[in-house]
Amino acid sequence: MTSTATASFTVDKWEPQATDEFAGTELARVAIAKTFTGAVEGTSQVELLTANNATSRAYVGFERLEVAVDGRKGSFVLHHTAGEESGMTVTILPGSGTGELTGIAGKADIEIDGEDHRLTLTYSL
């Protein structure tokens, strides 16, 4: 059975860790911390690798969530990929669930509208 859990989140930290430039493209590593409220309740730590130039932007990342999803406590990892042509995909890393979230599978959608940030998790357990 597939379920949907929606939460608002705040970005509590956005810290570039390292930057470099190669062939006109800025490469960066960024550390992010988030807090979630709603059907997903808890915190996360994100590590992103970004690439930006005059014509395109892309990133890959892993997000470690320590949360309760619809009241079930545990942790899991989200795998982020995004690019100008491919769009953004965020999937739950298979086998990463712990506690009451062991076996979780699915995907996440992230919406950002100005100051409003929303996560919609479509998952199965």
Side-chain angles (χ1 to χ4, degrees):
M1 182 173 106
T2 301
S3 299
T4 301
T6 303
S8 297
F9 68 91
T10 58
V11 176
D12 305 318
K13 175 179 84 170
W14 180 285
E15 292 181 356
Q17 302 294 301
T19 60
D20 194 8
E21 187 167 322
F22 176 78
T25 299
E26 179 184 84
L27 305 170
R29 185 168 56 90
V30 181
I32 301 167
K34 298 178 185 175
T35 301
F36 298 89
T37 56
V40 178
E41 189 83 28
T43 61
S44 74
Q45 301 292 320
V46 187
E47 294 282 335
L48 294 183
L49 296 175
T50 66
N52 298 294
N53 61 36
T55 58
S56 65
R57 301 171 62 173
Y59 82 87
V60 296
F62 292 96
E63 182 167 2
R64 301 174 303 239
L65 290 94
E66 294 185 35
V67 294
V69 178
D70 290 329
R72 295 180 187 99
K73 293 181 181 180
S75 61
F76 60 92
V77 174
L78 289 176
H79 175 203
H80 295 245
T81 59
E84 296 287 325
E85 294 179 15
S86 62
M88 179 178 11
T89 60
V90 183
T91 56
I92 297 172
L93 185 68
S96 67
T98 68
E100 295 174 310
L101 299 175
T102 297
I104 192 169
K107 68 180 189 96
D109 292 308
I110 297 172
E111 298 175 53
I112 300 172
D113 184 14
E115 294 294 315
D116 295 327
H117 298 76
R118 180 170 299 279
L119 172 82
T120 302
L121 190 65
T122 305
Y123 71 96
S124 61
L125 272 172

PDB file of all heavy atoms in Angstrom, residues 62-83:
ATOM      1  N   PHE A  62      22.864  13.606  -0.897  1.00  0.00           N
ATOM      2  CA  PHE A  62      22.270  12.621   0.000  1.00  0.00           C
ATOM      3  C   PHE A  62      21.788  13.340   1.242  1.00  0.00           C
ATOM      4  O   PHE A  62      22.483  14.191   1.787  1.00  0.00           O
ATOM      5  CB  PHE A  62      23.276  11.524   0.357  1.00  0.00           C
ATOM      6  CG  PHE A  62      23.607  10.661  -0.820  1.00  0.00           C
ATOM      7  CD1 PHE A  62      24.739  10.915  -1.580  1.00  0.00           C
ATOM      8  CD2 PHE A  62      22.767   9.626  -1.200  1.00  0.00           C
ATOM      9  CE1 PHE A  62      25.037  10.142  -2.687  1.00  0.00           C
ATOM     10  CE2 PHE A  62      23.059   8.849  -2.304  1.00  0.00           C
ATOM     11  CZ  PHE A  62      24.194   9.104  -3.053  1.00  0.00           C
ATOM     12  N   GLU A  63      20.579  12.987   1.669  1.00  0.00           N
ATOM     13  CA  GLU A  63      19.960  13.628   2.825  1.00  0.00           C
ATOM     14  C   GLU A  63      19.625  12.553   3.856  1.00  0.00           C
ATOM     15  O   GLU A  63      18.900  11.605   3.563  1.00  0.00           O
ATOM     16  CB  GLU A  63      18.683  14.348   2.376  1.00  0.00           C
ATOM     17  CG  GLU A  63      17.974  15.087   3.464  1.00  0.00           C
ATOM     18  CD  GLU A  63      16.902  16.030   2.937  1.00  0.00           C
ATOM     19  OE1 GLU A  63      16.681  16.082   1.706  1.00  0.00           O
ATOM     20  OE2 GLU A  63      16.295  16.728   3.763  1.00  0.00           O
ATOM     21  N   ARG A  64      20.183  12.703   5.052  1.00  0.00           N
ATOM     22  CA  ARG A  64      19.943  11.753   6.145  1.00  0.00           C
ATOM     23  C   ARG A  64      18.830  12.309   7.022  1.00  0.00           C
ATOM     24  O   ARG A  64      19.018  13.330   7.682  1.00  0.00           O
ATOM     25  CB  ARG A  64      21.215  11.573   6.964  1.00  0.00           C
ATOM     26  CG  ARG A  64      22.390  11.065   6.152  1.00  0.00           C
ATOM     27  CD  ARG A  64      23.652  11.045   7.002  1.00  0.00           C
ATOM     28  NE  ARG A  64      23.931  12.366   7.553  1.00  0.00           N
ATOM     29  CZ  ARG A  64      25.040  13.049   7.331  1.00  0.00           C
ATOM     30  NH1 ARG A  64      25.992  12.560   6.602  1.00  0.00           N
ATOM     31  NH2 ARG A  64      25.206  14.228   7.872  1.00  0.00           N
ATOM     32  N   LEU A  65      17.689  11.632   7.042  1.00  0.00           N
ATOM     33  CA  LEU A  65      16.542  12.086   7.824  1.00  0.00           C
ATOM     34  C   LEU A  65      16.402  11.253   9.091  1.00  0.00           C
ATOM     35  O   LEU A  65      16.466  10.025   9.033  1.00  0.00           O
ATOM     36  CB  LEU A  65      15.247  11.964   7.017  1.00  0.00           C
ATOM     37  CG  LEU A  65      15.115  12.942   5.855  1.00  0.00           C
ATOM     38  CD1 LEU A  65      15.593  12.329   4.575  1.00  0.00           C
ATOM     39  CD2 LEU A  65      13.701  13.419   5.734  1.00  0.00           C
ATOM     40  N   GLU A  66      16.236  11.935  10.219  1.00  0.00           N
ATOM     41  CA  GLU A  66      15.872  11.313  11.490  1.00  0.00           C
ATOM     42  C   GLU A  66      14.520  11.891  11.837  1.00  0.00           C
ATOM     43  O   GLU A  66      14.418  13.027  12.313  1.00  0.00           O
ATOM     44  CB  GLU A  66      16.917  11.615  12.552  1.00  0.00           C
ATOM     45  CG  GLU A  66      18.257  10.969  12.244  1.00  0.00           C
ATOM     46  CD  GLU A  66      19.275  11.146  13.346  1.00  0.00           C
ATOM     47  OE1 GLU A  66      18.880  11.151  14.529  1.00  0.00           O
ATOM     48  OE2 GLU A  66      20.449  11.303  13.003  1.00  0.00           O
ATOM     49  N   VAL A  67      13.454  11.111  11.553  1.00  0.00           N
ATOM     50  CA  VAL A  67      12.099  11.656  11.551  1.00  0.00           C
ATOM     51  C   VAL A  67      11.079  10.629  12.033  1.00  0.00           C
ATOM     52  O   VAL A  67      11.390   9.445  12.175  1.00  0.00           O
ATOM     53  CB  VAL A  67      11.699  12.113  10.122  1.00  0.00           C
ATOM     54  CG1 VAL A  67      12.532  13.294   9.658  1.00  0.00           C
ATOM     55  CG2 VAL A  67      11.793  10.965   9.126  1.00  0.00           C
ATOM     56  N   ALA A  68       9.875  11.108  12.212  1.00  0.00           N
ATOM     57  CA  ALA A  68       8.695  10.258  12.318  1.00  0.00           C
ATOM     58  C   ALA A  68       7.870  10.538  11.069  1.00  0.00           C
ATOM     59  O   ALA A  68       7.641  11.694  10.715  1.00  0.00           O
ATOM     60  CB  ALA A  68       7.901  10.580  13.574  1.00  0.00           C
ATOM     61  N   VAL A  69       7.475   9.484  10.377  1.00  0.00           N
ATOM     62  CA  VAL A  69       6.615   9.597   9.196  1.00  0.00           C
ATOM     63  C   VAL A  69       5.268   8.994   9.561  1.00  0.00           C
ATOM     64  O   VAL A  69       5.187   7.799   9.875  1.00  0.00           O
ATOM     65  CB  VAL A  69       7.228   8.865   7.981  1.00  0.00           C
ATOM     66  CG1 VAL A  69       6.289   8.944   6.783  1.00  0.00           C
ATOM     67  CG2 VAL A  69       8.594   9.449   7.626  1.00  0.00           C
ATOM     68  N   ASP A  70       4.246   9.821   9.563  1.00  0.00           N
ATOM     69  CA  ASP A  70       2.914   9.380   9.989  1.00  0.00           C
ATOM     70  C   ASP A  70       2.987   8.646  11.329  1.00  0.00           C
ATOM     71  O   ASP A  70       2.335   7.626  11.538  1.00  0.00           O
ATOM     72  CB  ASP A  70       2.260   8.500   8.917  1.00  0.00           C
ATOM     73  CG  ASP A  70       1.875   9.301   7.671  1.00  0.00           C
ATOM     74  OD1 ASP A  70       1.556  10.503   7.807  1.00  0.00           O
ATOM     75  OD2 ASP A  70       1.895   8.726   6.563  1.00  0.00           O
ATOM     76  N   GLY A  71       3.820   9.171  12.239  1.00  0.00           N
ATOM     77  CA  GLY A  71       3.939   8.630  13.585  1.00  0.00           C
ATOM     78  C   GLY A  71       4.936   7.492  13.751  1.00  0.00           C
ATOM     79  O   GLY A  71       5.214   7.076  14.879  1.00  0.00           O
ATOM     80  N   ARG A  72       5.508   6.982  12.661  1.00  0.00           N
ATOM     81  CA  ARG A  72       6.497   5.900  12.739  1.00  0.00           C
ATOM     82  C   ARG A  72       7.896   6.506  12.810  1.00  0.00           C
ATOM     83  O   ARG A  72       8.304   7.204  11.884  1.00  0.00           O
ATOM     84  CB  ARG A  72       6.386   4.984  11.521  1.00  0.00           C
ATOM     85  CG  ARG A  72       5.080   4.245  11.452  1.00  0.00           C
ATOM     86  CD  ARG A  72       5.087   3.369  10.185  1.00  0.00           C
ATOM     87  NE  ARG A  72       3.806   2.763   9.967  1.00  0.00           N
ATOM     88  CZ  ARG A  72       2.889   3.224   9.118  1.00  0.00           C
ATOM     89  NH1 ARG A  72       3.115   4.308   8.410  1.00  0.00           N
ATOM     90  NH2 ARG A  72       1.747   2.600   8.986  1.00  0.00           N
ATOM     91  N   LYS A  73       8.638   6.185  13.881  1.00  0.00           N
ATOM     92  CA  LYS A  73       9.955   6.781  14.097  1.00  0.00           C
ATOM     93  C   LYS A  73      11.071   5.930  13.503  1.00  0.00           C
ATOM     94  O   LYS A  73      11.034   4.710  13.579  1.00  0.00           O
ATOM     95  CB  LYS A  73      10.212   6.964  15.586  1.00  0.00           C
ATOM     96  CG  LYS A  73       9.304   7.977  16.220  1.00  0.00           C
ATOM     97  CD  LYS A  73       9.613   8.150  17.681  1.00  0.00           C
ATOM     98  CE  LYS A  73       8.662   9.164  18.302  1.00  0.00           C
ATOM     99  NZ  LYS A  73       8.931   9.355  19.715  1.00  0.00           N
ATOM    100  N   GLY A  74      12.056   6.640  12.945  1.00  0.00           N
ATOM    101  CA  GLY A  74      13.222   5.966  12.384  1.00  0.00           C
ATOM    102  C   GLY A  74      14.040   6.933  11.560  1.00  0.00           C
ATOM    103  O   GLY A  74      13.969   8.156  11.736  1.00  0.00           O
ATOM    104  N   SER A  75      14.803   6.376  10.651  1.00  0.00           N
ATOM    105  CA  SER A  75      15.633   7.206   9.777  1.00  0.00           C
ATOM    106  C   SER A  75      15.714   6.547   8.404  1.00  0.00           C
ATOM    107  O   SER A  75      15.424   5.359   8.241  1.00  0.00           O
ATOM    108  CB  SER A  75      17.026   7.397  10.377  1.00  0.00           C
ATOM    109  OG  SER A  75      17.678   6.145  10.512  1.00  0.00           O
ATOM    110  N   PHE A  76      16.101   7.348   7.413  1.00  0.00           N
ATOM    111  CA  PHE A  76      16.344   6.844   6.064  1.00  0.00           C
ATOM    112  C   PHE A  76      17.116   7.907   5.292  1.00  0.00           C
ATOM    113  O   PHE A  76      17.315   9.028   5.776  1.00  0.00           O
ATOM    114  CB  PHE A  76      15.046   6.451   5.347  1.00  0.00           C
ATOM    115  CG  PHE A  76      14.053   7.559   5.177  1.00  0.00           C
ATOM    116  CD1 PHE A  76      14.042   8.350   4.036  1.00  0.00           C
ATOM    117  CD2 PHE A  76      13.111   7.806   6.160  1.00  0.00           C
ATOM    118  CE1 PHE A  76      13.113   9.364   3.889  1.00  0.00           C
ATOM    119  CE2 PHE A  76      12.166   8.810   6.019  1.00  0.00           C
ATOM    120  CZ  PHE A  76      12.173   9.594   4.882  1.00  0.00           C
ATOM    121  N   VAL A  77      17.558   7.542   4.098  1.00  0.00           N
ATOM    122  CA  VAL A  77      18.355   8.428   3.256  1.00  0.00           C
ATOM    123  C   VAL A  77      17.588   8.744   1.978  1.00  0.00           C
ATOM    124  O   VAL A  77      17.032   7.842   1.339  1.00  0.00           O
ATOM    125  CB  VAL A  77      19.713   7.774   2.903  1.00  0.00           C
ATOM    126  CG1 VAL A  77      20.498   8.626   1.913  1.00  0.00           C
ATOM    127  CG2 VAL A  77      20.533   7.523   4.163  1.00  0.00           C
ATOM    128  N   LEU A  78      17.562  10.033   1.618  1.00  0.00           N
ATOM    129  CA  LEU A  78      17.038  10.469   0.320  1.00  0.00           C
ATOM    130  C   LEU A  78      18.201  10.720  -0.621  1.00  0.00           C
ATOM    131  O   LEU A  78      19.198  11.348  -0.237  1.00  0.00           O
ATOM    132  CB  LEU A  78      16.226  11.756   0.455  1.00  0.00           C
ATOM    133  CG  LEU A  78      14.880  11.660   1.154  1.00  0.00           C
ATOM    134  CD1 LEU A  78      14.254  13.053   1.277  1.00  0.00           C
ATOM    135  CD2 LEU A  78      13.942  10.718   0.415  1.00  0.00           C
ATOM    136  N   HIS A  79      18.081  10.253  -1.862  1.00  0.00           N
ATOM    137  CA  HIS A  79      19.077  10.476  -2.912  1.00  0.00           C
ATOM    138  C   HIS A  79      18.513  11.521  -3.869  1.00  0.00           C
ATOM    139  O   HIS A  79      17.471  11.306  -4.486  1.00  0.00           O
ATOM    140  CB  HIS A  79      19.339   9.154  -3.634  1.00  0.00           C
ATOM    141  CG  HIS A  79      20.239   9.260  -4.805  1.00  0.00           C
ATOM    142  ND1 HIS A  79      20.233   8.355  -5.819  1.00  0.00           N
ATOM    143  CD2 HIS A  79      21.184  10.169  -5.138  1.00  0.00           C
ATOM    144  CE1 HIS A  79      21.124   8.677  -6.724  1.00  0.00           C
ATOM    145  NE2 HIS A  79      21.708   9.797  -6.337  1.00  0.00           N
ATOM    146  N   HIS A  80      19.210  12.667  -3.966  1.00  0.00           N
ATOM    147  CA  HIS A  80      18.784  13.788  -4.819  1.00  0.00           C
ATOM    148  C   HIS A  80      19.605  13.813  -6.108  1.00  0.00           C
ATOM    149  O   HIS A  80      20.826  13.657  -6.058  1.00  0.00           O
ATOM    150  CB  HIS A  80      19.078  15.130  -4.133  1.00  0.00           C
ATOM    151  CG  HIS A  80      18.321  15.400  -2.886  1.00  0.00           C
ATOM    152  ND1 HIS A  80      17.414  16.425  -2.791  1.00  0.00           N
ATOM    153  CD2 HIS A  80      18.343  14.811  -1.669  1.00  0.00           C
ATOM    154  CE1 HIS A  80      16.918  16.472  -1.570  1.00  0.00           C
ATOM    155  NE2 HIS A  80      17.467  15.492  -0.863  1.00  0.00           N
ATOM    156  N   THR A  81      18.950  14.066  -7.232  1.00  0.00           N
ATOM    157  CA  THR A  81      19.638  14.404  -8.479  1.00  0.00           C
ATOM    158  C   THR A  81      18.804  15.473  -9.178  1.00  0.00           C
ATOM    159  O   THR A  81      17.572  15.418  -9.156  1.00  0.00           O
ATOM    160  CB  THR A  81      19.820  13.206  -9.437  1.00  0.00           C
ATOM    161  OG1 THR A  81      18.546  12.670  -9.767  1.00  0.00           O
ATOM    162  CG2 THR A  81      20.686  12.124  -8.821  1.00  0.00           C
ATOM    163  N   ALA A  82      19.469  16.453  -9.772  1.00  0.00           N
ATOM    164  CA  ALA A  82      18.740  17.505 -10.481  1.00  0.00           C
ATOM    165  C   ALA A  82      19.632  18.116 -11.547  1.00  0.00           C
ATOM    166  O   ALA A  82      20.838  18.255 -11.361  1.00  0.00           O
ATOM    167  CB  ALA A  82      18.282  18.589  -9.513  1.00  0.00           C
ATOM    168  N   GLY A  83      19.012  18.476 -12.645  1.00  0.00           N
ATOM    169  CA  GLY A  83      19.711  19.145 -13.728  1.00  0.00           C
ATOM    170  C   GLY A  83      18.721  19.908 -14.580  1.00  0.00           C
ATOM    171  O   GLY A  83      17.515  19.642 -14.543  1.00  0.00           O
TER     172      GLY A  83
END
